[in-house]
Amino acid sequence: MDQYTTFKQISLPKLNNLQPGLESTCLKLMEEAGELAQAIGKFRGMNGEKVNLKEKEVVEMISNELLDVAQVAVSMMFVLEEEYGISIKEKVDDHINKLVKKGYIKVEG
């Protein structure tokens, strides 16, 4: 698939000092997504409040919150693999095929 598009890859660790479950991880994911939305909206002045932060500070906050979201999503992948026997590799392949079928990824050739 990498011949069709550009990939951004990150590796995030298993949080081995926690015992996350599916439900608790989902709730944490929603919490972190809310914090990301707040960083994008509030700190960009979208809620009408005056923003006293520089662009670089806002983008730093957004990137930090985005990584929190990614970490929790990765943690949920570990839970799905370890507790439910789901192959994330297979799911990623299926996901990419779905994106191609929907036209989000242009297939050349």
Side-chain angles (χ1 to χ4, degrees), residues 36-87:
L36 174 60
Q38 180 183 20
I40 292 170
K42 181 176 182 178
F43 299 123
R44 289 250 188 215
M46 297 175 80
N47 64 352
E49 293 180 17
K50 184 168 171 49
V51 178
N52 294 320
L53 297 171
K54 295 180 180 173
E55 179 80 5
K56 182 170 176 35
E57 292 174 298
V58 172
V59 173
E60 287 289 328
M61 291 171 130
I62 291 170
S63 63
N64 289 338
E65 294 301 337
L66 180 60
L67 281 169
D68 286 347
V69 170
Q71 180 64 63
V72 178
V74 167
S75 293
M76 187 176 276
M77 290 178 198
F78 279 111
V79 170
L80 288 171
E81 286 180 329
E82 294 169 2
E83 291 187 22
Y84 300 96
I86 299 295
S87 168

Side-chain angles (χ1 to χ4, degrees), residues 13-39:
K14 179 180 180 183
L15 304 179
N16 62 7
N17 199 30
L18 298 175
Q19 299 296 322
L22 191 60
E23 294 79 7
S24 65
T25 307
C26 182
L27 291 172
K28 185 67 174 173
L29 183 60
M30 290 186 280
E31 174 190 329
E32 295 297 348
E35 291 175 11
L36 174 60
Q38 180 183 20

